[in-house]
């Protein structure tokens, strides 16, 4: 498969720092989003996602570092950027005095561009009635209106701050499918999220941000094809469980005497030897425990020592 990193860099955040004091803000954050890539920016509330994205959009000047989109500095260039970039803010502000269509028209006029086919396609896809007044719209409907406004010019670059928050599960599904379609159409996408499933389903590259600091940047594929696998084994007797645990060559993570089970990590390249080995013990059952994005993410929010089991994931894990 083609290495996305060889493609043109569209969004380049280079050592961005914004210090709000009291340990808040973002610190030395670097992001490169390549053409046609979907980049996931994953972190809980308060991690610094919106701060980073607002800087990318050029609303704020970096205290340190620099940000370019299409090679052009983004600060104070938001107006020019909006011709190529669809931006969905974390908290969209929509004037309450308008109806949906009035808002969409206002956005079209501001950008000096109209694409009615695309607009109608999006209204249909997200099942939004634009003739309602904004005041009478639910949070989800306002969110959908902001989504339609962000996409209706069919921009090349999509910057989405927690795009599915406020959408119901059905609409979240629609949205995820839409992102995957947009990627197929060659769009470059940066999305922030705290929802593992949507990042997992859409993103090629993922950065985990914690307390304003990037703790890991990696390819989604590398996480799926990790070199270390975890198996759960169930034994016939305590004796055979203990015999297996007692073998110093086995890399045991945990064991449960009551259930007669243990978790063992195995290097992917040693799978065959491992399968041969377990036939020599009274193993009743065994299965692989898939390693998920959620598990990887959580390892940064638990004790430091649970960083083991991550080898095979490339990245700037600090
Ligand atoms: N304008 C601001 N002034 C002071 N602190 C801020 C400001 N904006 C954000 N913060 C703080 O910076 C941290 C990161 O916020 P934010 O980027 O909104 O996080 P996220 O989008 O990941 O939830 C939070 O602790 C937040 O309280
Ligand atoms: Mg936010």
């Amino acid at each position: 498969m083609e290495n996305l990193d060889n493609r043109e860099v569209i969004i380049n955040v280079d050592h961005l720092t914004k210090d709000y004091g009291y340990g808040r803000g973002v610190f030395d954050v670097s992001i490169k989003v390549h053409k046609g890539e979907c980049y996931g920016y994953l972190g809980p509330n308060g991690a610094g996602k919106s701060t980073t994205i607002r800087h990318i959009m050029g609303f704020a000047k970096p205290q340190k570092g620099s940000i370019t989109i299409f090679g052009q500095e983004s600060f104070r260039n938001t107006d020019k950027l909006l011709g190529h970039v669809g931006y969905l803010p974390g908290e969209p502000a929509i004037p309450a005095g308008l109806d949906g269509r009035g808002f969409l028209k206002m956005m079209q006029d501001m950008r000096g561009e109209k694409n009615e086919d695309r607009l109608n396609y999006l209204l249909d896809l997200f099942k939004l009635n634009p003739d309602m007044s904004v005041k009478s719209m639910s949070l989800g409907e306002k969110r959908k209106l902001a989504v339609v406004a962000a996409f209706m010019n069919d921009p090349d670059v999509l910057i989405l701050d927690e795009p599915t928050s406020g959408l119901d599960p059905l609409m979240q599904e629609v949205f995820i499918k839409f992102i995957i379609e947009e990627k197929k159409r060659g769009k470059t996408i940066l999305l922030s999220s705290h929802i593992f499933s949507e990042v997992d389903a859409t993103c090629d590259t993922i950065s985990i941000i914690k307390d304003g600091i990037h703790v890991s940047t990696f390819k989604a594929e590398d996480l799926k094809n990790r070199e270390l696998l975890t198996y759960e084994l169930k034994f016939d007797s305590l004796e055979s469980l203990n015999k297996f645990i007692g073998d110093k060559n086995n890399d045991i993570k945990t064991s449960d005497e009551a259930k007669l089970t243990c978790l063992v990590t195995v290097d992917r390249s040693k799978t065959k030897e491992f399968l041969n080995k377990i036939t020599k013990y009274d193993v009743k059952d065994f299965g692989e425990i898939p390693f998920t994005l959620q598990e990887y993410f959580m390892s940064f929010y638990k004790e430091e020592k649970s960083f083991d089991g991550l080898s095979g994931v490339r990245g700037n894990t600090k």
Side-chain angles (χ1 to χ4, degrees):
M1 215 175 102
E2 186 203 343
N3 186 353
L4 286 167
D5 291 351
N6 295 334
R7 295 195 192 166
E8 183 190 350
V9 175
I10 305 291
I11 302 172
N12 193 8
V13 179
D14 193 31
H15 298 286
L16 169 70
T17 292
K18 173 74 183 188
D19 188 347
Y20 290 120
Y22 308 101
R24 292 170 172 196
V26 294
F27 306 94
D28 201 27
V29 159
S30 293
I31 294 174
K32 277 188 198 326
V33 188
H34 300 83
K35 193 170 171 42
E37 173 177 39
C38 184
Y39 192 107
Y41 199 37
L42 187 64
N45 292 335
K49 303 179 298 296
S50 297
T51 300
T52 306
I53 289 179
R54 283 197 302 267
H55 279 80
I56 293 175
M57 289 307 299
F59 302 134
K61 187 175 195 283
Q63 265 170 3
K64 284 188 204 151
S66 63
I67 300 171
T68 58
I69 302 189
F70 292 112
Q72 192 173 42
E73 198 189 336
S74 61
F75 180 59
R76 291 217 180 104
N77 276 320
T78 309
D79 290 353
K80 274 189 228 158
L81 285 177
L82 286 174
H84 311 279
V85 178
Y87 169 54
L88 180 67
E91 286 157 26
I94 304 172
L98 298 171
D99 63 9
R101 226 176 261 288
F103 174 68
L104 295 170
K105 177 152 186 340
M106 183 182 95
M107 298 303 282
Q108 282 173 331
D109 291 346
M110 259 168 61
R111 294 182 196 144
E113 222 184 291
K114 264 191 191 138
N115 183 339
E116 294 298 327
D117 287 348
R118 186 72 181 159
L119 172 58
N120 290 330
Y121 168 77
L122 292 169
L123 289 174
D124 191 47
L125 181 69
F126 291 108
K127 306 218 174 339
L128 180 68
N129 171 9
D131 297 317
M132 283 169 90
S133 73
V134 170
K135 227 187 319 186
S136 64
M137 286 183 180
S138 68
L139 198 65
E141 281 161 335
K142 280 186 207 157
R143 189 94 204 156
K144 290 198 279 186
L145 182 60
V147 167
V148 171
F151 295 128
M152 67 186 171
N153 287 358
D154 205 11
D156 297 329
V157 179
L158 309 174
I159 298 182
L160 314 168
D161 195 356
E162 303 209 23
T164 61
S165 73
L167 298 183
D168 64 43
L170 286 176
M171 270 302 139
Q172 286 183 8
E173 270 309 305
V174 171
F175 192 86
I176 287 168
K177 277 194 190 139
F178 174 70
I179 292 292
I180 294 168
E181 273 307 305
E182 289 300 278
K183 200 163 76 170
K184 278 194 201 140
R185 294 175 69 224
K187 307 288 164 140
T188 304
I189 304 163
L190 168 69
L191 74 87
S192 81
S193 181
H194 62 263
I195 302 169
F196 305 109
S197 56
E198 79 186 24
V199 172
D200 223 4
T202 56
C203 296
D204 306 295
T205 305
I206 301 166
S207 271
I208 294 178
I209 180 166
K210 180 188 181 188
D211 300 334
I213 295 169
H214 273 190
V215 288
S216 183
T217 300
F218 54 94
K219 298 283 170 227
E221 207 172 296
D222 287 347
L223 194 67
K224 286 180 186 128
N225 301 324
R226 276 163 62 259
E227 282 156 28
L228 275 185
L229 305 175
T230 301
Y231 287 97
E232 184 180 50
L233 302 184
K234 186 166 174 57
F235 292 84
D236 264 341
S237 65
L238 187 57
E239 193 193 352
S240 52
L241 169 66
N242 283 334
K243 201 169 127 200
F244 188 79
I245 293 173
D247 181 342
K248 292 282 170 275
N249 292 322
N250 295 331
D251 189 0
I252 309 293
K253 279 172 88 175
T254 57
S255 64
D256 184 331
E257 289 195 355
K259 290 187 185 154
L260 301 177
T261 59
C262 73
L263 292 183
V264 57
T265 45
V266 178
D267 201 301
R268 188 183 288 275
S269 65
K270 304 251 169 67
T271 303
K272 200 168 162 201
E273 286 92 324
F274 171 72
L275 293 178
N276 280 336
K277 176 190 248 178
I278 62 171
T279 59
K280 300 193 179 76
Y281 291 85
D282 287 330
V283 173
K284 204 167 151 189
D285 197 7
F286 82 101
E288 192 192 331
I289 308 285
F291 188 75
T292 61
L293 177 60
Q294 178 164 356
E295 211 179 331
Y296 184 53
F297 176 88
M298 292 311 282
S299 70
F300 292 98
Y301 285 84
K302 291 185 199 150
E303 309 164 66
E304 299 298 317
K305 70 175 165 49
S306 50
F307 281 123
D308 59 357
L310 300 180
S311 60
V313 177
R314 263 186 283 137
N316 58 359
T317 308
K318 285 183 205 162

